[in-house]
C-alpha cells in the first residue's frame, strides 16, 4: 500500500509539471462499468470468441451471425455508465493545457463521460458504415435488424469498427501518434498492450523522452520498460492520481 501511495505521489508530481499529457485506454478502464474485456473468460458469446467474430472474413461468410453478435454487444453496452476512471480523465482534461485521450475501446463511455479531445482508434459501436456507398452514420437503434440496410443506397451496413486483420484509419492513427510524439507524460490505462499498433505507442512516447505511467490490474509485457507501473483498479487509482493535482 505504501509503495502504491509513493508511486501515486510521484506520478502526480510528474503530471503537475506537465503541459502536454496523452492517455491511452483499453478494455480494462471499462471493466468496472460492466464491459467484458477481450481476453478475459467473459469475452465469449455463444461459445464464439470475439476474436473469431470481429473479422471481415466472419462478416463475409455470415453477416447475420456477426450482426447478432453486435446486437448482443449493443444491448449489453446501452445501459452502461462511465465509472470513476472515465470521470477522472475528464477532470484531468480540464486541468492540463493540452490533453489527448486515445482509446482502443468502442464502447462510447469516454464520450458519454464528456471527454472532448478523444481519438477512437478502433471506431465506435454506435456508428455504422455502408458496405456499398461507405456512408458513415451514428445509429443507436437496439437491436438493429438482422441485416440492417443503408438509408441512402440500401446497401448492407456493417459496424464502423476496426476488425481483426483490418488497418486502422491512417488519419486517426496519425492524430494519435502526433499526440504521443508531443506529450510530456503518457498514461497507459487498462490495456493488455498486446494489439498493435496501439501497443507500440507507449514505446514511441518513451523514445521521444516522455515519461510513461501504466495503470493495470496486473503487469503487462511492457511494464518493466515504463517509468512506473501502478497495479490496481483504474476506477480506484485514477481518481486518487487526479486528486493529487487538485
Ligand atoms: P484486453 O482485454 O486485452 O486487456 C484488458 C486489460 O485491462 C488487461 O491487461 C487487464 O489486466 C486490465 N484490466 C482489467 N480490469 C481492469 C481494471 N479494473 N483496472 C485496470 N486494468 C484492468 O483489452 P485491450 O488491451 O483493450 O481490438 O485490447 C486491445 C484491443 O484488442 C481491443 O481494442 C480489441 C482487442 O482485440 C479490436 O477490436 C481491433
Amino acid at each position: 500500500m505504501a509503495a502504491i501511495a509513493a508511486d501515486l505521489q510521484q506520478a502526480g508530481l510528474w503530471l503537475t509539471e506537465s503541459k502536454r499529457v496523452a492517455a491511452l485506454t483499453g478494455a480494462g478502464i471499462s471493466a468496472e462499468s460492466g464491459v467484458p474485456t477481450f481476453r478475459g473468460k467473459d469475452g465469449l458469446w455463444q461459445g464464439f470468441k470475439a476474436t473469431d467474430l470481429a473479422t471481415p472474413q466472419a462478416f463475409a461468410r455470415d453477416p447475420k451471425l456477426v450482426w447478432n453478435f453486435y446486437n448482443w454487444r449493443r444491448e449489453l453496452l446501452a445501459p452502461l455508465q462511465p465509472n470513476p476512471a472515465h470521470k477522472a480523465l475528464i477532470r484531468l482534461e480540464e486541468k492540463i493545457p493540452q490533453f489527448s485521450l486515445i482509446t482502443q475501446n468502442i464502447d462510447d463511455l469516454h464520450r458519454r463521460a464528456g471527454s472532448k479531445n478523444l481519438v477512437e482508434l478502433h471506431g465506435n459501436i454506435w456508428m455504422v458504415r455502408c458496405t456499398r456507398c461507405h456512408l458513415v452514420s451514428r445509429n443507436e437503434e437496439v437491436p438493429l435488424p438482422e441485416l440492417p440496410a443503408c438509408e441512402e443506397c440500401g446497401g448492407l451496413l456493417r459496424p464502423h469498427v476496426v476488425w481483426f486483420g483490418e488497418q486502422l484509419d491512417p488519419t486517426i492513427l496519425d492524430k494519435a501518434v502526433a499526440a504521443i510524439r508531443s506529450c510530456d507524460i503518457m498514461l497507459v490505462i487498462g490495456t493488455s498492450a498486446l494489439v498493435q499498433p496501439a501497443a507500440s505507442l507507449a514505446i514511441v512516447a518513451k523514445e521521444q523522452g516522455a515519461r510513461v505511467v501504466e495503470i493495470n490490474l496486473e503487469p503487462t509485457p511492457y511494464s518493466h520498460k515504463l517509468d512506473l507501473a501502478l497495479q490496481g483498479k483504474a476506477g480506484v487509482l485514477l481518481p486518487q492520481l487526479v486528486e493529487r493535482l487538485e
Side-chain angles (χ1 to χ4, degrees), residues 3-229:
I4 279 271
D7 285 351
L8 280 169
Q9 184 71 15
Q10 177 63 76
L13 270 178
W14 287 340
L15 279 175
T16 315
E17 293 162 356
S18 302
K19 292 200 169 45
R20 287 161 304 189
V21 175
L24 171 69
T25 64
I29 196 168
S30 297
E32 290 158 70
S33 293
V35 181
T37 55
F38 277 87
R39 291 171 181 79
K41 58 180 178 321
D42 50 357
L44 287 181
W45 173 73
Q46 297 191 2
F48 293 97
K49 283 190 281 183
T51 46
D52 292 336
L53 291 164
T55 69
Q57 291 80 7
F59 191 68
R61 201 169 46 237
D62 194 345
K64 271 191 190 168
L65 177 73
V66 174
W67 264 118
N68 265 326
F69 169 61
Y70 276 92
N71 272 328
W72 168 75
R73 288 182 75 188
R74 286 162 73 103
E75 271 170 34
L76 183 111
L77 291 174
L80 302 187
Q81 296 299 326
N83 67 53
H86 298 101
K87 292 179 188 159
L89 290 176
I90 305 304
R91 297 204 298 283
L92 194 57
E93 182 162 22
E94 285 162 3
K95 288 181 189 311
I96 301 286
Q98 205 175 309
F99 179 81
S100 303
L101 176 55
I102 302 154
T103 188
Q104 299 168 87
N105 299 341
I106 60 170
D107 58 31
D108 211 39
L109 291 179
H110 285 304
R111 201 177 287 273
R112 286 191 198 179
S115 282
K116 292 188 185 74
N117 196 12
L118 175 66
V119 179
E120 292 176 308
L121 283 180
H122 293 161
N124 185 302
I125 188 129
W126 303 110
M127 305 291 285
V128 291
R129 182 166 87 239
C130 178
T131 56
R132 188 189 294 159
C133 73
H134 310 295
L135 181 77
V136 174
S137 55
R138 192 160 174 103
N139 182 315
E140 296 185 11
E141 207 181 320
V142 179
L144 278 166
E146 274 194 316
L147 286 177
C150 175
E151 284 183 3
E152 289 297 316
C153 76
L156 175 63
L157 292 177
R158 59 162 280 177
H160 185 50
V161 299
V162 178
W163 282 333
F164 295 98
E166 290 185 321
Q167 298 294 321
L168 269 64
D169 177 334
T171 321
I172 290 179
L173 184 58
D174 284 354
K175 228 179 140 186
V177 172
I180 300 295
R181 287 236 161 92
S182 64
C183 74
D184 307 316
I185 180 165
M186 175 180 183
L187 305 176
V188 181
I189 306 153
T191 173
S192 59
L194 292 174
V195 171
Q196 294 296 352
S200 52
L201 290 178
I203 301 307
V204 172
K206 277 244 55 94
E207 281 170 0
Q208 63 85 9
R211 293 207 159 95
V212 182
V213 175
E214 179 180 69
I215 295 182
N216 199 302
L217 267 186
E218 44 195 54
T220 70
Y222 288 85
S223 302
H224 65 285
K225 296 185 187 159
L226 309 179
D227 295 279
L228 273 179

